[in-house]
Amino acid sequence: MNLSMRWLKEFVDLDVPTRQYAADMTMSGSKVEGYAVEGSEITNVVVGKCLSVEKHPNADTLVICKIDVGEGEPLQIVTGATNMFPGAYIPVAKDGSTIAGGKEIHKGQLRGAESNGMLCSLAELGLTQHDFPNAIENGIMILDQEYPLGMDIHEALGLNDTCVEFEITPNRPDCLSVIGLARETAATYRLPLKLHTPVVKGGGGPVSDYLKVDVENTKLCKRYIGRMVKDIKIQPSPRWMRERLRASGVRPINNIVDITNYVMLEYGQPMHAFDYRHVKDGHIIVRNAKEGEVITTLDGVERKLSPEMLLICDPDGPSAIAGVMGGEYSGIYDDTQMIVFESACFDNVSVRTTSRKVGLRTEASGRYEKGLDSRNCLPAVERACELVELLGAGTVLDGMVDVDNDQKAPNRIPFQVDWINRFLGIQVSRQEMEAILKPLDIVVDGGELIPPSYRADLEGKADIAEEIARFYGYNKIPTTAITGVAEARLTPGQKFERTAVDTLLAQGLYEVMTYSFVSPKVYDKIRLPKESPLRKSVVIGNPLGEDTSIMRTTVLPSMLEVLSRNYNNRNLSAACFELGNEYLPVDGQELPDERTQAVIGMYGDGVDFYQLKGVVETLLEALNVTGWEIQPQTQDPTFHPGRCAQVVCGQEVLGILGEVHPLVLQNYELGTKAYLAKLDMGRMMAHVGPEKSYHPLPKYPATTRDLAILCDEDLPVLTMEKAIRGAVGDILEQVEIFDVYRGKQIPAGKKSVAYSLVLRAEDRTLTDEETDRAVAGALQALSELGAQLRS
């Protein structure tokens, strides 16, 4: 919310520096994001009067002007504008000035004639024709009246307001208005709040002769007020209104549209003005959309509607999407003669749902979706009609159509002074608390408090305590230890994930974060089969674009995008990981199955399959996952068929790792080998072994044996290791591969694999016979695999 400080002073007599105001309001709970002074880039630009205009002797398109800026000797300025004439009052940028955009202006020569500055157009002052409708767009700005010569242009044009930007929390829609922030300001500084009660003269005849309103869905439309104005005169708004709208970030249009925007900013109540000739039979119907119904909104876009959406209609069809935007024929035109002011309160959840589904977010929807006060509809529409009369924009009809379906009783909250003091850790008297609550319109009724209708966020005594704390002063509340609160602890799942992150970071990998929504094209890029169930994705109803239109069912494309970006940014190596979610739709279930995956991506010099495998094995050991083994995998099209494996625990696949397929690398413009691993965090956690306990150092010595095994080239070394472990049994403390040899001394199609076996018993020293028997058992198990001891 942007607040004009000049507008604020209409409600509160405030005289503090803007910086101090920002700090004080932030301390009282209304957070200030920043503030800016209008036209701060413009310096040394003043009002001047044109004394003469002469043709440039050396240029057909230039003229030489004599300009009086109240400094004695007139300035000579050369310009190419064609709208200059003697007697015109204009903005003059003198030598050494700056204009909008920070551009500096200095004197110089133009085609041999001296020019001591520049005459300014609207754009050079950061303005548009909406700000000054009588000025021309392509030419020097001619001021609409006489000003003292040499007057600073900021003062002359009203370009000197200060705008303070507030961050309004969703539970305080009342502060999305000048009056709401003025109320907070008055409470912060303990100053009187000057509110104005709108007065409407009327006299245009009874509104009942022209307008009828039927509300079919009273749950979604809590209140609907219609007032009418005839004999409309469409013209620019007065300058004071345009200045306030501009300072608040709203573009002036014309008097009627500006009135609705002005009231929305002042009261926080969105309004709409309908051209009465486009309201069939003068009958407004508030109803839900029909199946297949469409509407073309004011922005010219045809939008499909669904039955849960609320519409403003006439007997012929929809005129507006309630709380979001009007239809193409609901606007105000230059020949509009009669209008209907709509001031209504719609259900916040309905407006938000509708806004998201039609892909349209407006100032009105942003306010409605936070939950507005139906009692604010009446003063807002009265204020709009008062402004119509003040601006001479038309004749207001007598009376109004008011359909009020909001029967909510005022909330009552126990006023427990002692409890509030204990809760906050302060000592404040009842009288002081009442003094704090009074400017907030919180009524004290004996032992109860009645919040105003616009403060729906005040529901219990803790909310009242917060109000007391805000205006008592957070900085005055003493620091005390929290009592009666249980110690916060991590869940087993959180500990498991933190261990995974710490382990991967310790191995030199960088953690990344990617979006969970992706493009459907990524499935083709990773060569996912057409019949793969992973192609069935959750489709986003209102995506940012095609590239973010579905929820991912696999995290691999996201990591490949990270590697591709790093490679194409000329990073010679990368090693990254992410704990990211996959979203798998479930038939008959509204929400998808979300599974957290640990995905690892690597490329660069020295990076190969075995390094990736080492990272995965280290992670599994750190997580205490037991019973796993790594098996070859040749069927996954994303990976190289001969350099891929999967992590298996029993019959369950925990994950996959390997070298990325060359065609996938080509799709992601990766000009080097890359490696990926993906591990399911939930499945790994299900196979966590018992907590590790201390074991004393062995008392008895170990016996080592080295075996050189000759086997077929395609026999996996892990298969042989598994056979050795099974044959030797409990006395096998460690088995480790230390050499793989292929060469002239080995037959073609064969390889020599060397293992080191460490044998040890916990209760005795192994004899040679026991050791030999264990080794013989291992060789027998290997022979069943077609492997034999190398001679």
Side-chain angles (χ1 to χ4, degrees), residues 232-234 275 277 331-339:
I232 293 295
K233 302 178 185 66
I234 302 297
D275 191 325
R277 61 185 164 177
I332 301 301
Y333 305 91
D334 292 340
D335 59 346
T336 297
Q337 296 296 315
M338 185 177 286
I339 63 170

Side-chain angles (χ1 to χ4, degrees), residues 457-728:
D457 60 305
L458 300 181
E459 298 178 338
K461 56 185 180 181
D463 300 315
I464 297 298
E466 182 183 0
E467 297 302 296
I468 299 294
R470 287 201 299 134
F471 297 104
Y472 172 76
Y474 289 122
N475 55 331
K476 296 180 183 178
I477 299 176
T479 301
T480 56
I482 298 177
T483 59
V485 178
E487 181 184 354
R489 296 181 181 179
L490 296 176
T491 65
Q494 290 171 328
K495 291 180 180 179
F496 192 74
E497 290 189 3
R498 288 200 178 187
T499 301
V501 170
D502 292 343
T503 303
L504 293 169
L505 289 173
Q507 295 185 80
L509 281 73
Y510 289 90
E511 186 174 10
V512 300
M513 296 180 67
T514 60
Y515 289 116
S516 295
F517 28 85
V518 296
S519 167
K521 298 177 182 177
V522 300
Y523 297 144
D524 293 328
K525 294 178 72 173
I526 64 171
R527 303 178 70 239
L528 202 63
K530 298 295 183 183
E531 67 280 3
S532 173
L534 293 180
R535 284 185 176 267
K536 182 182 178 182
S537 308
V538 175
V539 179
I540 298 175
N542 184 26
L544 299 173
E546 183 185 0
D547 289 343
T548 54
S549 59
I550 62 172
M551 303 299 290
R552 66 188 179 194
T553 58
T554 171
V555 294
L556 294 180
S558 301
M559 181 55 71
L560 284 166
E561 290 285 356
V562 172
L563 297 182
S564 174
R565 190 176 303 113
N566 276 274
Y567 178 80
N568 287 288
N569 284 341
R570 300 184 182 276
N571 290 327
L572 299 179
S573 62
C576 305
F577 77 93
E578 178 185 14
L579 297 189
N581 283 357
E582 295 178 342
Y583 302 84
L584 306 176
V586 180
D587 292 336
Q589 185 173 306
E590 183 178 1
L591 296 177
D593 182 15
E594 297 185 29
R595 298 181 181 178
T596 303
Q597 308 289 317
V599 58
I600 302 168
M602 307 171 69
Y603 73 80
D605 292 340
V607 177
D608 57 15
F609 173 84
Y610 298 104
Q611 183 175 350
L612 176 65
K613 177 172 170 284
V615 171
V616 171
E617 289 176 337
T618 302
L619 176 62
L620 292 168
E621 292 293 340
L623 294 175
N624 196 25
V625 179
T626 60
W628 57 270
E629 59 182 57
I630 295 181
Q631 298 177 352
Q633 166 61 270
T634 61
Q635 303 301 316
D636 194 310
T638 304
F639 293 90
H640 192 296
R643 301 166 191 170
C644 178
Q646 59 185 13
V647 182
V648 179
C649 194
Q651 300 299 316
E652 189 172 35
V653 177
L654 304 185
I656 191 169
L657 66 151
E659 181 182 321
V660 180
H661 197 285
L663 294 178
V664 176
L665 294 175
Q666 184 177 339
N667 291 337
Y668 281 92
E669 298 180 355
L670 269 163
T672 185
K673 291 181 179 180
Y675 300 85
L676 291 177
K678 186 183 78 164
L679 299 165
D680 190 294
M681 295 293 290
R683 292 180 179 178
M684 288 194 297
M685 190 173 176
H687 292 279
V688 170
E691 187 174 349
K692 294 180 180 179
S693 59
Y694 167 75
H695 289 279
L697 291 173
K699 296 180 180 180
Y700 301 96
T703 300
T704 60
R705 291 288 189 272
D706 292 339
L707 302 178
I709 306 300
L710 185 65
C711 63
D712 294 334
E713 179 67 47
D714 58 356
L715 180 62
V717 295
L718 288 177
T719 301
M720 292 191 287
E721 180 181 324
K722 186 177 179 181
I724 294 172
R725 290 185 180 276
V728 176

Side-chain angles (χ1 to χ4, degrees), residues 321-344:
I321 304 175
V324 181
M325 182 179 279
E328 62 178 335
Y329 297 115
S330 70
I332 301 301
Y333 305 91
D334 292 340
D335 59 346
T336 297
Q337 296 296 315
M338 185 177 286
I339 63 170
V340 179
F341 275 132
E342 170 194 274
S343 181

Side-chain angles (χ1 to χ4, degrees), residues 113-130:
E114 185 179 73
S115 183
N116 295 293
M118 185 178 75
L119 307 182
C120 298
S121 65
L122 284 170
E124 287 152 351
L125 297 174
L127 302 170
T128 69
Q129 276 190 296
H130 294 287

Side-chain angles (χ1 to χ4, degrees), residues 48-61:
K49 180 180 180 181
C50 180
L51 301 178
S52 65
V53 181
E54 298 179 359
K55 189 177 181 303
H56 195 294
N58 302 321
D60 295 336
T61 59

